[in-house]
Short mmCIF file of all heavy atoms in Angstrom, two decimals:
data_model
loop_
_atom_site.label_atom_id
_atom_site.label_comp_id
_atom_site.label_asym_id
_atom_site.label_seq_id
_atom_site.Cartn_x
_atom_site.Cartn_y
_atom_site.Cartn_z
N LYS A 24 12.27 47.71 -59.70
CA LYS A 24 13.63 47.37 -59.70
C LYS A 24 14.48 48.44 -60.36
O LYS A 24 15.80 48.28 -60.44
CB LYS A 24 13.95 45.96 -60.33
CG LYS A 24 13.30 44.79 -59.51
CD LYS A 24 13.58 43.57 -60.36
CE LYS A 24 12.84 42.38 -59.57
NZ LYS A 24 12.77 41.11 -60.30
N THR A 25 13.95 49.45 -60.79
CA THR A 25 14.60 50.51 -61.53
C THR A 25 15.35 51.51 -60.62
O THR A 25 15.04 51.71 -59.51
CB THR A 25 13.59 51.42 -62.21
OG1 THR A 25 12.82 50.64 -63.08
CG2 THR A 25 14.28 52.50 -62.99
N LYS A 26 16.58 51.78 -60.91
CA LYS A 26 17.53 52.62 -60.18
C LYS A 26 17.12 53.97 -60.39
O LYS A 26 16.72 54.45 -61.38
CB LYS A 26 19.05 52.44 -60.56
CG LYS A 26 19.54 50.94 -60.33
CD LYS A 26 20.89 50.79 -60.84
CE LYS A 26 21.32 49.39 -60.59
NZ LYS A 26 22.62 49.14 -61.16
N GLU A 27 17.50 54.92 -59.41
CA GLU A 27 17.08 56.27 -59.52
C GLU A 27 17.80 57.03 -60.56
O GLU A 27 17.26 57.79 -61.29
CB GLU A 27 17.63 56.97 -58.14
CG GLU A 27 17.04 58.31 -57.89
CD GLU A 27 15.67 58.30 -57.65
OE1 GLU A 27 15.11 57.46 -56.96
OE2 GLU A 27 14.94 59.43 -57.91
N GLU A 28 19.04 56.50 -60.98
CA GLU A 28 19.75 57.09 -62.11
C GLU A 28 19.11 56.81 -63.48
O GLU A 28 19.12 57.72 -64.32
CB GLU A 28 21.14 56.42 -62.26
CG GLU A 28 22.09 56.60 -61.03
CD GLU A 28 21.92 55.37 -60.05
OE1 GLU A 28 21.96 54.23 -60.54
OE2 GLU A 28 22.03 55.64 -58.90
N ASP A 29 18.50 55.70 -63.65
CA ASP A 29 17.69 55.47 -64.85
C ASP A 29 16.54 56.39 -64.96
O ASP A 29 16.15 56.81 -66.13
CB ASP A 29 17.19 54.04 -64.78
CG ASP A 29 18.33 53.02 -64.90
OD1 ASP A 29 19.53 53.40 -65.40
OD2 ASP A 29 18.18 51.87 -64.56
N VAL A 30 15.81 56.74 -63.88
CA VAL A 30 14.73 57.61 -63.94
C VAL A 30 15.23 59.02 -64.35
O VAL A 30 14.64 59.68 -65.10
CB VAL A 30 13.94 57.60 -62.58
CG1 VAL A 30 12.91 58.68 -62.63
CG2 VAL A 30 13.35 56.26 -62.25
N GLU A 31 16.35 59.46 -63.65
CA GLU A 31 16.87 60.65 -64.12
C GLU A 31 17.40 60.80 -65.46
O GLU A 31 17.09 61.84 -66.15
CB GLU A 31 18.04 61.01 -63.10
CG GLU A 31 17.79 61.23 -61.66
CD GLU A 31 18.96 61.36 -60.78
OE1 GLU A 31 20.16 61.58 -61.24
OE2 GLU A 31 18.74 61.39 -59.63
N LYS A 32 17.91 59.80 -66.00
CA LYS A 32 18.15 59.79 -67.52
C LYS A 32 16.99 59.93 -68.31
O LYS A 32 16.98 60.62 -69.34
CB LYS A 32 18.89 58.46 -67.83
CG LYS A 32 20.29 58.31 -67.41
CD LYS A 32 20.89 56.92 -67.77
CE LYS A 32 22.19 56.73 -67.18
NZ LYS A 32 22.74 55.35 -67.44
N LEU A 33 15.94 59.24 -67.93
CA LEU A 33 14.63 59.38 -68.63
C LEU A 33 14.10 60.79 -68.68
O LEU A 33 13.67 61.40 -69.67
CB LEU A 33 13.51 58.44 -68.03
CG LEU A 33 12.14 58.49 -68.62
CD1 LEU A 33 12.13 58.02 -70.00
CD2 LEU A 33 11.15 57.67 -67.70
N LEU A 34 14.17 61.45 -67.49
CA LEU A 34 13.78 62.81 -67.30
C LEU A 34 14.55 63.75 -68.04
O LEU A 34 14.10 64.85 -68.56
CB LEU A 34 13.55 63.23 -65.88
CG LEU A 34 12.46 62.48 -65.08
CD1 LEU A 34 12.53 62.78 -63.71
CD2 LEU A 34 11.11 62.56 -65.66
N LYS A 35 15.82 63.53 -68.23
CA LYS A 35 16.78 64.40 -68.91
C LYS A 35 16.41 64.39 -70.42
O LYS A 35 16.51 65.32 -71.10
CB LYS A 35 18.29 63.97 -68.69
CG LYS A 35 18.64 64.51 -67.34
CD LYS A 35 20.16 64.17 -67.12
CE LYS A 35 20.59 64.52 -65.80
NZ LYS A 35 22.02 64.16 -65.40
N LYS A 36 16.10 63.09 -70.81
CA LYS A 36 15.80 62.90 -72.23
C LYS A 36 14.43 63.76 -72.54
O LYS A 36 14.24 64.29 -73.56
CB LYS A 36 15.46 61.43 -72.59
CG LYS A 36 15.28 61.11 -74.04
CD LYS A 36 14.90 59.65 -74.22
CE LYS A 36 16.10 58.74 -74.04
NZ LYS A 36 15.72 57.29 -74.32
N VAL A 37 13.49 63.65 -71.58
CA VAL A 37 12.21 64.40 -71.71
C VAL A 37 12.59 66.02 -71.86
O VAL A 37 12.04 66.67 -72.73
CB VAL A 37 11.33 64.19 -70.63
CG1 VAL A 37 10.05 65.23 -70.53
CG2 VAL A 37 10.73 62.79 -70.72
N GLU A 38 13.48 66.46 -70.96
CA GLU A 38 13.90 67.86 -70.95
C GLU A 38 14.39 68.29 -72.35
O GLU A 38 14.09 69.40 -72.85
CB GLU A 38 14.94 68.15 -69.89
CG GLU A 38 14.47 68.28 -68.50
CD GLU A 38 13.79 69.60 -68.18
OE1 GLU A 38 13.87 70.56 -69.00
OE2 GLU A 38 13.26 69.70 -67.20
#
Side-chain angles (χ1 to χ4, degrees):
K24 295 178 183 175
T25 303
K26 296 178 184 174
E27 193 74 28
E28 301 94 39
D29 294 335
V30 175
E31 289 176 13
K32 287 179 188 176
L33 175 69
L34 294 176
K35 284 181 184 177
K36 189 186 290 186
V37 168
E38 281 281 354

